Amino acid sequence: MILSARNLTVTFGEMRAVDAAAFTVARGESFGLVGESGSGKSTVLRALAGLLDNWTGELAFDGRALGRTRDRAFYSRVQMVFQDPYGSLHPRQTVDDALAEPLAIHKMDRREARIEKALEEVGLGRGFRFRYPHQLSGGQRQRVAIARALIVEPEMLLLDEPTSALDVSIQAEVLNLLDALRRRRDLTFVMVSHNLAVVAHMCARLAVMSRGKIVEEMDTESLRAGAARDPYTQRLMAASRGYDRALAESFRALD
Amino acid sequence: MEKPLVAIEDLHVTFRTQTREVSAVRGVSLVMGKEKIGIVGESGSGKSVTGRALLGLTPPNGTVAAKRLEFDGQDLRGLDAEGWRHLRGRRMAMVMQDPKFSLNPVMTVGRQIAEAYRTHVNAGRAEARDKALAALEAVQIRDPARVFDLYPHEVSGGMGQRAMIAMMLVAEPDLLIADEPTSALDVTVQMQVLAILDDLVARRGMGLIFVSHDLDLVAAFCDRVLVMYGGRVVETLKASELSKATHPYTRGLLDCVPRLDRPQEKLNVLDRDPAWLAGA
Amino acid sequence: MNAAWTQWLLDEAPTSRAQARAGAFYRSWIAFRRNPLAMVGLSIVAALVLVAIFAPLIAPYGPTVQDLANRLQPPSGRHWLGTDELGRDIFSRIVFGSRITLMIVMLVIVTVAPIGLAVGTLAGYFGGWVDAVLMRVTDVFLAFPRLILALAFVAALKPGIENAVLAIALTTWPPYARLARAETLVVRKADYIAAVQAQGASGMRIVLRHVVPMCVSSTIVRMTLDMAGIILTAAGLGFLGLGAQPPSPEWGAMISAGRRFVLDQWWVAAMPGIAIFVVSLGFNLLGDGLRDVLDPKRE
């Protein structure tokens, strides 16, 4: 077990964005968090990444409890990829700047070689190294974000809807890339998405969140086999099969 | 054959940027009646630009050219601002992706709908209010009187989008152009909004152009689907015959989506053939 | 410029850091160039700089050379803009005066921009007590009336252009701090800041390397637009006798000296007045043009 959360609660003012969430992630595993907007799934990820300080409960990484602030050693082992590749790259910095920054923060050596290797690994050639974000497509930006996360050679990646801003054909490429990198480097993934099919494809195990609570946790096999018990999970399953007049009617009845 | 609602022939839209010219739409043709047409494509395919050109909403740095561009028999080429004002909102309306950006943040939802009605129909305040309440009810908002007095930031995404649809439909247009109307919404809410759109289109007998990146969704929802790539229509299909699509791009799009009922070791990716750009 | 260079600059796939930076700069330049008024502003400011640098070569006479036989001469072939009450050539004085104006501009920029940016970004990024303390300090400085402070300075030290500039700078930076703080509040919520936080960067590093670059352009724009006001204030102080001292050819002091003759020898006061007007206008036009190109809110 590399990561565990117990009784994780995040409050924004009066609102409980995450309510007593608990889960564990094994080393080398790929774990998914699924839910709709406002379910608290991204908030869980941000708390894990140390981007929030308004949480209570217990978080532990590799056997050690995590505090509100994280040291640099933590970030050399855990990195994050954000949802919106248009927002997660600094608009005034080239790809080269973006990749050099984590190397400088973590005082790593052989920077030139590492930057070139990182770009190659995510399928971007040298021609991309000195471009600004506005000269890149959404898929290319997300590849840069992945390269930036992997350049410090972390053990775990936190993925916040890494493909939801991308076209489906680009999504397939980026998901394949992430999957290949995970296998090659024995990475642990925690992936958040609103798309059940994407999480099912990427993760062996997943938890479904609704209104701040984890309502169900299961492995992907059982999900595909239709073993979901929670009505909310069933609804998500049904909705992800596509538009259906009768189905929409049944949702209305549930409201 | 009766007069088509929309007739487009060889539509071209070109944008001029600082350093070069970009052809966003290159020779799109479409003849439609009061039916549901889906335009599907990825970002940059020209699908939204096509919808906007039909509404005269091409940004100033873009130029529109077509052999034929008609709405209900009226030539839209060279129409002046006054002419557009006459058509937009009243005869054809548009629902955009994110209600957050298309609703006025400092006016209550109900007033915006009432104002929309009054700009198109000469009506008194009380009548406009009744119309707005009826419109909110028509989009399945349970407590219209309460929602009427809410500001856009006080309603959820799904409700905002329903309010937006109510606003567009209050003037009873003949054509509705919906540009990714549900992409910003959760899947379960998306279903409901689509069902509402479905009902309204059927009941009022209007034409619908549904622009989306989601091929499956469009196929389940529309009568006919135009698949766009690189500014051209590469394939036109009956929605019910989506599985019989022949163009490699359409097939590729269908294949690269992960599905719950189809576990895959590796997702299929689209091999883009440069010949598609030439219209092959 | 030859085609090869243009192509190199506009290359979508630059091969070096320098090429990427130069290309980004060139794209802004193309956008800027299309605004004719901004180009007028840029020309005026460039002319000011050139005139200041080459003043001894441009001016036909020395700025303080008196010729009492030719006092208060109207503009003529020998004295293009006439002479003043001591027979000094007004054109030459204005040319040399541009050095003083430029010095004021530079001194204000090097003091105001760093202070404003530092205070604003630190307060905005760290928030909490840092924000409270820095912003109250800002409020205190904002409350100083500019001319009164200048008077106090002059009383405490000695009248002179440096002390006038110091007084201007001390009362000019607070709005910059507020501007930078407001921008920082927006920028710090951006994902790209969260991304560097999640890389383990320290707060200071994030502010310096990631927040400040986003605030620089609006500071430059505001600085340029403010420059007209600063030049006018400096001239006003000179006019009141609190700034540059005679015989320095500071434009405000020249107007002040010429006002005694304003009815009969209008050129003595009017010529430096026109110089102030043209330079102020130049900075304003330039600022407007820069805003269109640089303002991050536009993107």
Side-chain angles (χ1 to χ4, degrees):
Chain A
M1 184 172 73
I2 191 164
L3 180 80
S4 71
R6 264 173 55 194
N7 202 20
L8 176 67
T9 299
V10 185
T11 46
F12 293 105
E14 291 290 292
M15 211 226 346
R16 285 198 160 200
V18 178
D19 193 357
F23 58 90
T24 59
V25 181
R27 192 181 292 275
E29 191 190 18
S30 180
F31 178 74
L33 274 172
V34 191
E36 302 198 298
S37 51
S39 63
K41 58 189 190 306
S42 290
T43 311
V44 169
L45 210 62
R46 284 181 176 254
L48 290 178
L51 295 174
L52 298 173
D53 51 15
N54 46 335
W55 55 272
T56 57
E58 290 159 46
L59 290 177
F61 176 71
D62 201 12
R64 285 180 41 199
L66 293 172
R68 296 284 173 280
T69 54
R70 309 288 155 78
D71 55 6
R72 204 182 288 151
F74 173 81
Y75 289 116
S76 71
R77 302 179 66 188
V78 181
Q79 283 282 314
M80 181 158 172
V81 175
F82 291 80
Q83 168 175 12
D84 179 8
Y86 292 87
S88 68
L89 297 179
H90 198 290
R92 309 243 158 145
Q93 290 179 353
T94 60
V95 172
D96 181 61
D97 297 327
L99 297 180
E101 187 68 3
L103 294 178
I105 292 168
H106 294 280
K107 304 193 167 59
M108 294 175 83
D109 58 350
R110 297 186 298 115
R111 296 191 188 170
E112 283 293 305
R114 283 180 197 271
I115 290 174
E116 298 213 337
K117 177 161 168 275
L119 279 174
E120 193 185 311
E121 231 180 346
V122 296
L124 294 174
R126 284 161 178 236
F128 290 91
R129 182 167 166 193
F130 297 104
R131 293 197 199 184
Y132 284 92
H134 68 85
Q135 294 170 311
L136 303 175
S137 69
Q140 291 163 348
R141 290 178 196 219
Q142 203 59 309
R143 285 170 190 268
V144 172
I146 292 168
R148 175 176 66 183
L150 289 179
I151 203 164
V152 298
E153 297 177 7
E155 294 155 48
M156 182 154 111
L157 273 195
L158 306 173
L159 302 159
D160 187 4
E161 303 251 19
T163 59
S164 66
L166 306 176
D167 280 321
V168 284
S169 64
I170 310 297
Q171 163 172 288
E173 292 172 12
V174 171
L175 291 181
N176 283 345
L177 170 69
L178 284 170
D179 212 35
L181 288 168
R182 189 174 75 83
R183 282 162 210 268
R184 197 182 313 151
R185 295 193 175 197
D186 291 324
L187 293 166
T188 308
F189 277 3
V190 178
M191 178 170 179
V192 155
S193 177
H194 69 282
N195 189 325
L196 205 52
V198 165
V199 167
H201 174 72
M202 292 295 289
C203 304
R205 208 156 54 82
L206 57 93
V208 179
M209 286 191 76
S210 171
R211 294 177 192 176
K213 291 201 163 89
I214 291 181
V215 295
E216 191 159 19
E217 197 185 314
M218 61 193 334
D219 58 49
T220 308
E221 291 300 312
S222 345
L223 180 84
R224 287 196 201 271
R229 292 219 182 121
D230 186 82
Y232 180 74
T233 315
Q234 290 170 345
R235 225 169 122 181
L236 271 185
M237 290 267 304
S240 62
R241 285 196 199 101
Y243 175 68
D244 179 333
R245 188 72 193 70
L247 189 64
E249 209 65 56
S250 73
F251 287 167
R252 202 173 296 155
L254 272 168
D255 258 340
Chain B
M1 191 184 143
E2 64 176 304
K3 190 169 59 176
L5 184 64
V6 172
I8 303 174
E9 203 185 320
D10 201 23
L11 175 74
H12 286 260
V13 183
T14 311
F15 290 98
R16 223 164 40 94
T17 69
Q18 260 178 40
T19 44
R20 62 205 157 121
E21 289 213 334
V22 182
S23 292
V25 178
R26 305 180 298 155
V28 166
S29 299
L30 164 71
V31 176
M32 69 176 279
K34 298 202 162 174
E35 56 184 325
K36 288 181 283 183
I37 298 283
I39 302 183
V40 183
E42 299 190 287
S43 46
S45 62
K47 57 186 194 302
S48 294
V49 179
T50 304
R52 278 159 188 267
L54 194 54
L55 268 171
L57 292 176
T58 305
N61 65 334
T63 43
V64 178
K67 287 209 182 90
R68 197 170 164 214
L69 186 62
E70 285 171 14
F71 171 74
D72 202 16
Q74 185 183 354
D75 194 347
L76 301 178
R77 293 172 302 174
L79 200 63
D80 61 2
E82 181 61 37
W84 278 118
R85 211 162 34 236
H86 219 76
L87 283 179
R88 259 187 241 140
R90 196 173 314 183
R91 305 285 321 273
M92 41 192 193
M94 184 162 190
V95 177
M96 287 186 247
Q97 180 169 356
D98 200 330
K100 273 205 292 282
F101 300 119
S102 24
L103 288 169
N104 181 347
V106 295
M107 210 194 256
T108 63
V109 169
R111 252 196 75 202
Q112 290 186 53
I113 301 172
E115 290 291 320
Y117 182 67
R118 288 184 61 190
T119 46
H120 300 302
V121 183
N122 199 0
R125 268 174 201 285
E127 190 196 334
R129 190 187 156 84
D130 291 344
K131 271 279 175 191
L133 286 172
L136 284 173
E137 208 169 347
V139 293
Q140 312 273 349
I141 285 175
R142 209 167 298 149
D143 190 355
R146 188 179 68 86
V147 175
F148 188 94
D149 289 320
L150 294 179
Y151 284 91
H153 67 92
E154 295 172 309
V155 302
S156 67
M159 196 180 282
Q161 197 59 304
R162 281 186 276 175
M164 198 62 214
I165 293 172
M167 189 159 121
M168 289 303 138
L169 294 180
V170 72
E172 313 218 337
D174 299 304
L175 174 68
L176 183 68
I177 298 174
D179 191 353
E180 305 261 10
T182 58
S183 306
L185 306 176
D186 288 329
V187 273
T188 49
V189 182
Q190 188 174 336
M191 290 286 130
Q192 296 168 51
V193 172
L194 286 175
I196 289 161
L197 215 49
D198 201 356
D199 288 350
L200 292 171
V201 170
R203 199 185 312 150
R204 302 195 181 182
M206 58 180 170
L208 174 74
I209 295 180
F210 191 103
V211 177
S212 174
H213 68 282
D214 191 335
L215 194 49
D216 289 297
L217 183 78
V218 167
F221 186 72
C222 295
D223 305 319
R224 264 197 304 155
V225 181
L226 275 63
V227 181
M228 284 188 73
Y229 181 78
R232 288 174 198 273
V233 176
V234 292
E235 189 164 19
T236 306
L237 288 161
K238 264 196 182 156
S240 53
E241 293 173 358
L242 188 67
S243 54
K244 294 182 197 154
T246 52
H247 195 280
Y249 176 67
T250 318
R251 296 238 51 100
L253 269 191
L254 286 168
D255 281 346
C256 67
V257 186
R259 280 170 214 276
L260 278 177
D261 52 12
R262 184 182 68 184
Q264 285 167 291
E265 186 68 12
K266 203 174 165 199
L267 293 171
N268 294 317
V269 295
L270 201 58
D271 269 326
R272 287 157 205 276
D273 187 340
W276 299 346
L277 288 172
Chain C
M1 196 172 348
N2 71 47
W5 270 101
T6 313
Q7 203 178 6
W8 182 81
L9 286 168
L10 292 178
D11 194 341
E12 287 289 330
T15 50
S16 71
R17 235 160 258 157
Q19 188 184 2
R21 305 257 187 276
F25 185 81
Y26 184 63
R27 283 192 180 78
S28 304
W29 168 242
I30 291 176
F32 182 83
R33 206 169 55 181
R34 282 191 310 206
N35 181 344
L37 281 178
M39 286 304 282
V40 171
L42 181 67
S43 316
I44 293 173
V45 173
L48 174 74
V49 174
L50 290 176
V51 165
I53 293 172
F54 298 110
L57 300 178
I58 295 167
Y61 304 92
T64 52
V65 176
Q66 301 184 6
D67 179 5
L68 291 174
N70 282 311
R71 293 177 64 234
L72 299 170
Q73 292 296 309
S76 66
R78 264 188 71 206
H79 298 283
W80 293 349
L81 303 180
T83 60
D84 67 5
E85 75 278 14
L86 296 173
R88 295 174 295 198
D89 180 52
I90 293 179
F91 176 69
S92 302
R93 284 178 67 74
I94 287 178
V95 166
F96 276 96
S98 66
R99 291 184 156 187
I100 298 173
T101 303
L102 199 64
M103 187 184 77
I104 295 169
V105 167
M106 307 259 256
L107 282 175
V108 170
I109 288 175
V110 299
T111 43
V112 166
I115 299 178
L117 270 177
V119 171
T121 51
L122 291 175
Y125 183 77
F126 289 103
W129 65 266
V130 179
D131 187 25
V133 170
L134 288 177
M135 280 299 114
R136 291 304 77 78
V137 172
T138 308
D139 286 342
V140 169
F141 276 92
L142 204 55
F144 281 159
R146 192 177 275 184
L147 279 174
I148 306 293
L149 187 74
L151 276 169
F153 257 81
V154 172
L157 303 163
K158 64 177 175 48
I161 194 80
E162 296 81 6
N163 292 330
V165 166
L166 203 55
I168 293 172
L170 283 176
T171 48
T172 304
W173 71 264
Y176 290 82
R178 296 190 156 233
L179 182 74
R181 177 175 175 268
E183 292 214 318
T184 305
L185 289 178
V186 176
V187 167
R188 80 166 189 183
K189 287 196 211 107
D191 266 357
Y192 56 83
I193 296 299
V196 260
Q197 284 170 345
Q199 282 161 14
S202 66
M204 277 313 276
R205 185 181 184 94
I206 295 173
V207 170
L208 284 178
R209 298 183 58 105
H210 301 272
V211 177
V212 167
M214 293 308 286
C215 302
V216 162
S217 43
S218 61
T219 302
I220 292 174
V221 169
R222 166 120 203 208
M223 197 97 239
T224 321
L225 288 170
D226 269 4
M227 212 39 85
I230 289 164
I231 291 170
L232 287 176
T233 309
L237 287 171
F239 183 84
L240 292 174
L242 301 173
Q245 295 301 306
S248 153
E250 198 271 323
W251 297 347
M254 286 171 71
I255 298 179
S256 175
R259 76 172 189 272
R260 281 185 288 150
F261 321 106
V262 79
L263 290 180
D264 300 315
Q265 286 87 22
W266 54 268
W267 58 88
V268 181
M271 294 306 173
I274 291 170
I276 292 171
F277 167 77
V278 170
V279 170
S280 302
L281 183 71
F283 274 109
N284 268 337
L285 293 176
L286 177 65
D288 264 344
L290 284 178
R291 176 167 53 200
D292 291 345
V293 176
L294 291 180
D295 199 333
K297 285 187 266 309
R298 197 181 54 103
E299 283 160 19

